[in-house]
Amino acid sequence: MSTLSHAASGVIPGEPPVRPEYEIDLKPFNHEADSNIALEKKLSLAHRLWRIDGIRKTCILLVLALVWEVAARVTDNDLLLPTFLQTFDAFVAGIGNGELLERVSVSLGVLMQGYALGIVMAFVLTTVAVSTQLGRDILSTFTAMFNPLPAIALLPLALMWFGLGEGSLIFVLVHSVLWPLALNTFSGFQGVPATLRMAGRNYGLSGIGYVVHILIPAALPSILSGLKVGWAFAWRTLIAAELVFGASSGEGGLGWYIFQNRNELNTDKVFAGLAMVIILGLLVEGLVFKTLERVTIRRWGIQH
């Protein structure tokens, strides 16, 4: 009885049921009759503008500037908190007379030396770490010892060893960059999939070639993250070090500019110097690192 019912229904025992197929004929689209049907929703001009990252961030900055201006006028004490307009005037004047730009060039010149040297040392250390067990032990031990140590705490030693000049600044900058970059790079190397590692070994790669052609491209997101963290640490350390002794080769950088104007009670210029520190950080983040991410890891599909 059951077999007959299955046969009548078209279902074979032990086989999955087959759903009958059917087609639905769609009514042809009549352009004249259906012209009032919107095929896509048109966004308003305000909505399209709001979807642009630069405009949204500019609005945030304008709101902050407005809050700053209102707070300064309520405080009514230029010595403690100058208004946004006063700070803007001091910033424009510093750019116009070349003083701010000169200080920035001194700071960036020292920063690039320490940053580049820290990058080279970090990649040498991580290359040794992925090649030998002794290298891994050295990297783990040194990072556990020195990474928690603030770079500015080494400034007194740097002054005794290298004197008052670029050598001391470069020493603390290397310390700021080396350990976070080495940690991020080594973590990225450890996260490289085993299939890529085996592919590199099958091609006969080893040593530097293996690191350059296999590990670095696969670990590039972690490396770029380490570069950004190292840049932030180095920039903060440089400004703090210049606030302490400032002069390098007889010239003062941006931190020294802030320190001098603080002593002279030019609070608007102090805020102008701080604004320059922030602007340079935003420019490096937005122009340098975002461009590197766009042309590498996002283009390759490693990061979305």
Side-chain angles (χ1 to χ4, degrees), residues 99-278:
E99 185 179 8
L100 259 179
L101 295 180
E102 181 182 357
R103 305 292 188 177
V104 169
S105 64
V106 173
S107 294
L108 289 181
V110 178
L111 179 65
M112 289 297 103
Q113 297 180 57
Y115 190 64
L117 186 56
I119 291 174
V120 172
M121 294 179 64
F123 276 104
V124 170
L125 189 58
T126 50
T127 301
V128 175
V130 297
S131 303
T132 63
Q133 181 62 49
L134 178 61
R136 286 189 288 274
D137 293 338
I138 292 174
L139 178 62
S140 61
T141 304
F142 281 8
T143 51
M145 291 171 55
F146 297 119
N147 192 46
L149 185 64
I152 199 66
L154 297 176
L155 189 56
L157 289 177
L159 291 174
M160 288 190 297
W161 292 344
F162 303 103
L164 190 65
E166 289 187 0
S168 300
L169 292 175
I170 292 174
F171 177 80
V172 294
L173 289 177
V174 169
H175 176 82
S176 301
V177 177
L178 175 58
W179 308 116
L181 179 56
L183 274 177
N184 278 270
T185 303
F186 187 68
S187 298
F189 286 170
Q190 288 183 316
V192 175
T195 52
L196 290 178
R197 295 176 180 273
M198 290 187 291
R201 300 300 185 189
N202 290 335
Y203 277 102
L205 295 176
S206 62
I208 299 297
Y210 175 72
V211 172
V212 171
H213 293 94
I214 300 296
L215 295 184
I216 289 180
L220 200 54
S222 296
I223 295 174
L224 287 178
S225 177
L227 288 172
K228 288 194 286 186
V229 172
W231 158 262
F233 283 2
W235 188 224
R236 289 185 298 182
T237 300
L238 177 65
I239 299 301
E242 288 179 342
L243 282 170
V244 175
F245 65 93
S248 59
S249 300
E251 296 177 315
L254 192 54
W256 188 245
Y257 173 85
I258 297 172
F259 181 76
Q260 280 184 317
N261 285 286
R262 195 270 297 179
N263 289 337
E264 298 172 4
L265 299 181
N266 296 323
T267 314
D268 54 347
K269 292 186 177 181
V270 172
F271 275 85
L274 294 174
M276 178 60 76
V277 173
I278 296 172

Side-chain angles (χ1 to χ4, degrees), residues 86-96 100 268 272-273 275-276 279:
Q86 289 174 331
T87 303
F88 182 76
D89 291 340
F91 183 85
V92 172
I95 295 292
L100 259 179
D268 54 347
M276 178 60 76
I279 290 172

Side-chain angles (χ1 to χ4, degrees), residues 263-297:
N263 289 337
E264 298 172 4
L265 299 181
N266 296 323
T267 314
D268 54 347
K269 292 186 177 181
V270 172
F271 275 85
L274 294 174
M276 178 60 76
V277 173
I278 296 172
I279 290 172
L280 288 175
L282 293 175
L283 287 176
V284 172
E285 175 70 22
L287 296 180
V288 178
F289 291 114
K290 292 294 184 182
T291 302
L292 282 175
E293 291 178 352
R294 186 174 61 252
V295 301
T296 54
I297 55 179

Side-chain angles (χ1 to χ4, degrees), residues 8-89:
S9 62
V11 178
I12 303 175
E15 296 289 336
V18 180
R19 186 174 62 182
E21 296 182 359
Y22 60 92
E23 296 181 358
I24 299 177
D25 295 330
L26 299 177
K27 183 179 68 174
F29 180 77
N30 188 343
H31 181 72
E32 296 180 356
D34 301 329
S35 59
N36 58 341
I37 300 177
L39 299 179
E40 62 180 6
K41 182 180 179 181
K42 293 184 178 180
L43 300 176
S44 64
L45 177 61
H47 196 175
R48 293 198 301 270
L49 291 176
W50 186 250
R51 298 182 67 177
I52 301 175
D53 291 343
I55 292 181
R56 292 198 307 271
K57 294 178 180 179
T58 301
C59 291
I60 294 174
L61 294 177
L62 290 176
V63 171
L64 288 177
L66 179 61
V67 172
W68 179 0
E69 184 73 19
V70 172
R73 291 184 181 274
V74 170
T75 305
D76 195 21
N77 190 336
D78 296 342
L79 187 62
L80 295 179
L81 182 63
T83 65
F84 174 79
L85 295 178
Q86 289 174 331
T87 303
F88 182 76
D89 291 340

